[in-house]
């Protein structure tokens, strides 16, 4: 089962290594790992997506909490949350197929961010399903390159 | 007052109550050693940095304080790694201080540069590289706090040499706050009443005491708890000495080389109460089959240990002494059933039926040597061991009943641990008898420390159980690999007596049973660094033996 862990850490050198090393040491697989500064100076949030049964996730969570630089760990999978990925896709696009591709881009509310004679670069944000669906739709053309970020997530709540 | 980084380091160590440090100088810790030269901090010069880490570990195990070791950058620091990993696996508080190349040379593959913080990340509780002298004092304070509180463990502080040399206004810190780490002595998370309720309902409970009993100093609470509730106690290797082996409720060690009666009792119990033990595979055998008819309660200071290997019915997180103390308090006003005549009788029968035994006749037996060391020291010596057959025999036949008097590398199984650990223990308690029980293989992994023991007049006794084999591996090859003794015959040995003499120690050799007592007594009374080469039966095996991954009732021999 997919789990999204939101981990608040001290923004110290090596903290990402400590967290990721814990995963490799314990033989857990990471699907995606995104880190960024927060609004609180000196802290970062890591959004880690992992697959595993409840026991494994519990163990991962507890091991994470033991790291000195980890301030807080929450598994937000079961909470209402918003998840986003960002993707950049370069597609081969000559004049014959260009309009068709632009239509698809519109349907997905994606953007064209680079326009060349024979290719287009498309930018899209969305949850994993949307990004997968867009990539699938563009597969009937020739995809030249894909770059994707990991997933970031935030809990919906009334503060 | 303006002080240099090196001076601040020494001040901070003294403020933490450090009296002895173990180390080895080198290019990038010269500033620190230069200040040590003038300080009243006692420094013990080892002959290999691994020895410094193990000595600090031995010091920590016998005193309950934080052990400190120092090494230079690069190879000095990497030589500490085995010692740090050993301390990590056994939850021993040590602080390792390593010199590092100057800040501006970091990351440039400079001479003797190694990313020791990166290298040790999976085997430390926490680590620091000090890049600003302003952080140095707080770093040392944090390091000691983290090493000694909660589940203890090793912490490393890497200090570039320019930081050691630079100066700053220094005043001692009295308080620190580590964001994300806060340890509360009295914290208990779990239901003690529910635990007592489960114990009250159990017909055949058993307590498994682990190293956590020693770390927490829960010796007396454990004894009172077991006696009050009439529950038999098994110990792990790490808890040898935590519960008196001669006590009627004591079943000795469980696991791969545990007693038959301990393992049978575990297989037959209906409630398994684990206290400060982490279900190591050497203890459980097949975890899926471990005490499979029993409910399980696990008490541990580390939340992540609860149910990590074997699922448990209830977990209580907190300090073992505090939790047992709390339970005893509640029992005094609200007693639970402690009448377990049938179970206690059953356990007694098991003990009588399957005693630990060995053939005493014929050649000199290793078990006999260890038994006599135990008897002639009246169980009062501090025993350290290396790793292998002699270690298991020591755990079986040295019936320690004093906490912090049996030092052994349990989790990592580090050959070469015993002798430097004995040096650390002897440095802490110069007046005590400290005996390192070693093997001919293990001893050669750190024999250079003979020089350290001799130089500081540390009267450590090294008892080598010499069978000319890497015995434990040989035993596995005999029983599980069709007697194919690949590279375990080490009959070609240095002359250990001459080796000891070469370093200025006393060497003795014992080949016959009749010589054992005289030699041990002479060694105890001489108060010098002494090596005794006990030439024993080459083919003796450690029994009982649960093959790895098997169930505990499936024992070979014994």
């Amino acid at each position: 089962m997919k789990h999204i862990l939101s981990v608040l850490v001290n923004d110290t050198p090596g903290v990402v290594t400590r967290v990721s090393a814990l995963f490799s040491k314990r033989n857990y697989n990471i699907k995606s790992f995104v880190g960024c500064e927060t609004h609180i100076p000196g802290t970062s949030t890591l959004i880690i997506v992992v697959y595993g049964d409840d026991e494994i996730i519990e163990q991962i969570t507890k091991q994470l909490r033991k790291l000195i630089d980890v301030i807080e760990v929450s598994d937000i999978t079961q909470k209402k949350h918003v998840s986003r990925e960002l993707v950049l896709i370069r597609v081969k696009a000559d004049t014959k197929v260009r309009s068709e591709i632009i239509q698809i881009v519109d349907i997905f509310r994606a953007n064209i961010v680079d326009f060349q004679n024979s290719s287009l670069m498309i930018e899209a944000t969305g949850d994993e399903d949307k990004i997968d669906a867009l990539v699938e739709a563009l597969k009937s053309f020739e995809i030249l390159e894909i770059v994707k970020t990991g997933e970031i997530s935030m809990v919906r709540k009334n503060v | 007052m303006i002080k240099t980084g090196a001076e601040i380091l020494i001040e901070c160590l003294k403020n933490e109550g450090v009296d002895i440090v173990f180390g080895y100088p080198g290019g990038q810790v010269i500033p620190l050693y230069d200040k040590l030269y003038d300080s009243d901090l006692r420094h013990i010069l080892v002959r290999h940095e691994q020895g410094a880490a193990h000595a600090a570990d031995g010091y920590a195990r016998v005193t309950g304080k934080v052990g400190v070791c120092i090494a230079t950058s690069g190879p000095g620091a990497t030589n500490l790694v085995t010692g740090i990993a050993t301390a990590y696996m056994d939850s021993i508080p040590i602080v390792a201080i390593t010199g590092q190349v100057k800040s501006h040379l970091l990351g440039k593959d400079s001479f003797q540069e190694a990313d020791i913080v990166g290298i040790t990340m999976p085997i430390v509780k926490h680590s620091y590289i000090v890049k600003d002298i302003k952080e140095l004092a707080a770093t040392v304070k944090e390091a000691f706090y983290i090493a000694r509180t909660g589940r203890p463990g090793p912490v490393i502080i890497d200090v570039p040499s320019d930081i050691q040399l630079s100066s700053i206004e220094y005043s001692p810190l009295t308080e620190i706050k580590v964001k994300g780490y806060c340890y509360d002595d009295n914290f208990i998370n779990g239901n003690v009443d529910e635990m007592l309720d489960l114990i009250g309902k159990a017909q055949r409970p058993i307590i498994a005491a682990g190293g956590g009993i020693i770390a927490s100093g829960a010796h007396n609470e454990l004894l009172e708890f077991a006696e009050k509730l009439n529950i038999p106690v098994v110990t792990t290797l790490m808890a040898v000495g935590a519960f008196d082996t001669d006590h009627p409720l004591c079943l000795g060690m469980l696991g791969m080389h545990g007693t038959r009666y301990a393992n049978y009792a575990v297989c037959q119990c209906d409630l398994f109460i684990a206290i400060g033990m982490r279900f190591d595979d050497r203890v459980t055998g097949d975890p899926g089959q471990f005490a499979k008819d029993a409910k399980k309660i696990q008490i541990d200071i580390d939340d992540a240990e609860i149910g990590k290997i074997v699922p448990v019915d209830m977990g209580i997180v907190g300090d073992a002494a505090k939790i047992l103390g709390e339970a005893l308090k509640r029992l005094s006003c609200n007693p639970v059933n402690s009448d377990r005549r049938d179970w206690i009788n059953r356990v007694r029968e098991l003990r009588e039926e399957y005693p630990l035994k060995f053939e005493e006749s014929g050649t000199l037996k290793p078990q006999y040597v260890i038994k006599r060391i135990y008897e002639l020291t009246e169980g009062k010596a501090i025993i350290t061991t290396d790793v292998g057959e002699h270690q298991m025999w020591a755990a079986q036949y040295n019936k320690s009943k004093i906490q912090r008097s049996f030092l052994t590398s349990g989790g990592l199984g580090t050959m070469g641990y015993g002798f430097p650990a004995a040096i650390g223990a002897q440095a802490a308690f110069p007046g005590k008898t400290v005996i390192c029980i070693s093997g001919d293989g293990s001893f050669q992994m750190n024999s250079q420390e003979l020089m350290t023991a001799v130089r500081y007049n540390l009267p450590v006794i090294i008892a080598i159980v010499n069978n000319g084999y890497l015995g434990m591996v040989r035993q596995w090859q005999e029983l599980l690999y069709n007697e194919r003794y690949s590279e375990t015959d080490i009959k070609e040995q240095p002359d250990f007596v001459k080796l000891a003499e070469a370093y200025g120690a006393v060497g003795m050799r014992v080949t016959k049973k009749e010589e054992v007592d005289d030699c041990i007594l002479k060694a105890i009374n001489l108060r010098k660094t002494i090596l005794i080469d006990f030439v024993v039966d080459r083919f003796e095996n450690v029994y009982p033996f649960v093959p790895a991954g098997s169930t505990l009732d499936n024992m070979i021999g014994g």
Side-chain angles (χ1 to χ4, degrees), chain B residues 431-489:
Chain B
K432 287 206 176 172
T433 301
V434 178
I435 304 179
C436 165
I437 297 175
S438 189
D440 44 326
S442 283
F443 181 68
Q444 289 184 67
M445 290 234 179
N446 268 319
S447 58
Q448 77 286 348
E449 298 307 331
L450 274 165
M451 201 62 255
T452 308
V454 169
R455 173 176 172 177
Y456 296 100
N457 299 315
L458 298 172
V460 173
I461 300 168
I462 305 138
I464 298 183
V465 175
N466 184 350
N467 60 7
Y469 271 116
L470 301 178
M472 192 57 100
V473 182
R474 189 207 66 87
Q475 174 171 335
W476 284 52
Q477 288 169 333
E478 178 188 325
L479 300 171
L480 309 170
Y481 289 83
N482 248 339
E483 302 184 16
R484 287 158 53 82
Y485 299 126
S486 178
E487 301 296 336
T488 47
D489 187 334

Side-chain angles (χ1 to χ4, degrees), chain A residues 12-150:
Chain A
T12 50
V15 69
V16 168
T17 317
R18 272 182 221 281
V19 172
S20 56
L22 183 146
F23 280 79
S24 57
K25 170 185 169 184
R26 302 267 168 194
N27 201 18
Y28 306 137
N29 276 324
I30 299 176
K31 165 133 193 305
S32 81
F33 189 111
V34 179
C36 57
E37 289 175 1
T38 70
H39 65 292
I40 309 160
T43 63
S44 293
T45 298
L46 309 175
I47 302 291
I48 307 169
V49 179
V50 286
Y51 285 92
D53 58 32
D54 289 351
E55 269 167 46
I56 289 178
I57 300 300
E58 188 188 334
Q59 182 59 212
I60 291 177
T61 311
K62 286 173 166 179
Q63 293 293 350
L64 279 172
R65 285 205 180 102
K66 275 168 66 175
L67 294 177
I68 308 295
D69 281 327
V70 168
I71 303 166
E72 208 181 303
V73 183
S74 44
D75 183 346
I76 63 173
T77 324
Q78 300 301 327
K79 297 178 187 163
K80 279 189 184 159
H81 64 270
V82 177
S83 283
R84 289 289 181 268
E85 286 177 9
L86 169 69
V87 68
L88 295 173
I89 308 167
R90 195 191 319 280
V91 201
K92 196 163 181 187
D94 52 26
T95 47
K96 273 182 261 166
V97 294
R98 198 177 282 154
S99 59
E100 204 180 331
I101 293 173
I102 292 170
Q103 268 181 13
I104 292 172
V105 168
D106 283 344
I107 292 167
F108 281 91
R109 293 200 189 102
N111 297 311
I112 291 168
V113 289
D114 186 34
F115 187 101
Q116 304 290 342
N117 282 340
S118 57
S119 72
L120 294 172
M121 195 202 298
I122 299 156
E123 170 212 66
T125 57
D127 61 15
E128 197 183 0
D129 288 349
K130 176 183 160 181
I131 302 295
D132 287 351
L134 173 63
V135 171
E136 199 53 42
L138 290 172
K139 267 189 187 161
S140 47
F141 311 94
E142 193 178 342
I143 294 178
L144 299 169
E145 206 178 341
I146 294 185
V147 186
K148 215 161 69 158
T149 66

Side-chain angles (χ1 to χ4, degrees), chain B residues 4-8 10 29-40 164-165:
Chain B
T4 66
E7 286 169 331
I8 293 172
I10 292 168
V29 274
I30 296 176
L32 177 58
Y33 273 87
D34 186 59
K35 297 301 172 190
L36 271 172
Y37 196 62
D38 299 324
S39 87
D40 51 3
Q164 298 168 42
L165 286 166

Side-chain angles (χ1 to χ4, degrees), chain B residues 149-165:
Chain B
T149 54
R151 179 177 184 172
V155 177
I156 179 165
I157 310 174
D158 198 26
V159 193
S161 61
D162 55 317
I163 303 286
Q164 298 168 42
L165 286 166

